[in-house]
Amino acid sequence: MGERLTVGEICTREVTFADKDTNLVTAAQLMRRDHVGALVVVDHLNGERKVSGLLTDRDIVTCVIAQGIDPGPLFVEDIMSAPVITVQEDDSLIDLMRTMRTNGIRRVPVVNEKQDLVGLVTLDDVLRLLAQVFGLLVAAIDKSTQREVKRRP
């Protein structure tokens, strides 16, 4: 971890993505195959992937399954969330957390300066990182106590 932790340092770089015209059942199978709860929906422009939407397992359940709609004829574009809030890979962890809080979102696609998809960061990623940070702080407290005991038995 650097002194200024960036989103690019904590995001997942291998992102499961789909096109808007991907069949919804195929999209769900992609989620299952890769054990993910969301797909970033992309447009392919000049060999780059531009974020155009986000599809979550919750979207499929609440918009399709719970409504009794047959998912067979549906496409990702039919139920994806768009537009999507993104963050830059050089944004700070604090910037990311503010974006998540302000927008009430748990998954955020990460883009570079050309707005190309480079990763995905989730609330789980942030919580794992914060758990490590708290672990370091607890270790510092323990070390301080050990040092005190050695110096003043």
Side-chain angles (χ1 to χ4, degrees):
M1 286 187 271
E3 287 186 30
R4 181 185 181 271
L5 191 63
T6 65
V7 172
E9 292 177 88
I10 65 168
C11 73
T12 301
R13 296 281 178 159
E14 291 186 28
V15 179
T16 304
F17 61 91
D19 298 327
K20 291 177 187 176
D21 62 353
T22 300
N23 176 273
L24 198 57
V25 173
T26 302
Q29 291 167 343
L30 283 172
M31 288 181 192
R32 180 174 184 203
R33 180 195 74 192
D34 292 351
H35 304 281
V36 296
L39 301 175
V40 179
V41 184
V42 297
D43 290 323
H44 299 274
L45 301 170
N46 301 322
E48 302 294 338
R49 297 178 303 201
K50 305 293 183 184
V51 177
S52 62
L54 192 67
L55 177 71
T56 67
D57 47 7
R58 183 176 172 87
D59 293 331
I60 295 171
V61 169
T62 60
C63 296
V64 180
I65 305 303
Q67 301 293 324
I69 299 171
D70 177 15
L74 297 176
F75 296 93
V76 167
E77 184 175 38
D78 295 328
I79 66 166
M80 70 180 195
S81 298
V84 176
I85 303 295
T86 61
V87 292
Q88 297 285 317
E89 64 183 326
D90 62 352
D91 283 350
S92 73
L93 177 62
I94 296 296
D95 292 335
L96 168 66
M97 292 188 296
R98 283 186 184 124
T99 297
M100 294 175 117
R101 181 193 67 210
T102 300
N103 295 286
I105 52 179
R106 297 170 33 173
R107 299 173 177 104
V108 187
V110 181
V111 296
N112 62 19
E113 66 281 346
K114 298 186 309 184
Q115 300 303 304
D116 302 325
L117 176 66
V118 297
L120 181 70
V121 65
T122 68
L123 183 58
D124 291 356
D125 297 327
V126 174
L127 290 173
R128 269 189 216 94
L129 175 68
L130 292 175
Q132 289 176 351
V133 169
F134 286 127
L136 291 171
L137 293 173
V138 168
I141 291 168
D142 291 343
K143 185 76 169 184
S144 174
T145 303
Q146 291 169 6
R147 197 176 93 234
E148 176 70 20
V149 168
K150 283 182 181 178
R151 286 179 42 200
R152 297 187 183 102

